[in-house]
Amino acid sequence: MPQIDTPTDTVPAATLYEWQRRAQRHLADLIEHGAKNGLPPLGWSLATNGNLIGAADSLSYTPEQQRAAVKQWADHVGVPVDTDHVNGREELYAGWKDDDRRTRGCFRATIFVHREGA
């Protein structure tokens, strides 16, 4: 019987490292491209599976600047921004994938709405 990969199968470490290296190269290009095109800097994370997360954090930006940063990056790569309100937080999320580079990621922000008026 042929082996079929399922979501519960363990991905070999060598594969995860390859996905991370590929995403790391893409991240370097995103940072350079953002700088050249006047996009706001984001805090970047690289997940174990190679996904990239660009965050507009509340330490660097006001709530309005967080919204603008996520929107500018999302518009730049052509994806919509989803917004959800949960327990006094506004969560912004814009997921993307690059088929040519075989990378995925998102732009996101968590806005603490109760602090916005302060």
Side-chain angles (χ1 to χ4, degrees):
M1 178 177 217
Q3 179 171 342
I4 299 172
D5 290 333
T6 65
T8 58
D9 287 342
T10 302
V11 176
T15 301
L16 293 172
Y17 280 122
E18 177 52 37
W19 292 348
Q20 287 182 335
R21 284 190 296 269
R22 184 171 46 230
Q24 181 185 25
R25 290 187 296 270
H26 191 180
L27 175 56
D29 289 344
L30 283 169
I31 291 170
E32 286 299 317
H33 191 75
K36 288 179 185 173
N37 289 282
L39 296 170
L42 299 175
W44 291 96
S45 300
L46 174 61
T48 304
N49 67 359
N51 287 348
L52 295 170
I53 301 101
D57 65 78
S58 61
L59 296 175
S60 302
Y61 296 113
T62 66
E64 200 52 48
Q65 290 170 328
Q66 286 178 273
R67 289 182 191 98
V70 171
K71 182 170 179 7
Q72 286 175 331
W73 276 96
D75 287 350
H76 191 72
V77 300
V79 296
V81 176
D82 293 322
T83 304
D84 197 11
H85 292 86
V86 180
N87 297 328
R89 295 184 320 268
E90 180 180 343
E91 300 283 346
L92 285 79
Y93 176 90
W96 54 267
K97 68 179 183 175
D98 188 313
D99 291 332
D100 293 336
R101 293 174 184 263
R102 299 183 330 222
T103 60
R104 296 174 185 258
C106 68
F107 309 114
R108 63 180 317 141
T110 298
I111 298 168
F112 296 96
V113 179
H114 67 280
R115 294 184 188 165
E116 192 166 2

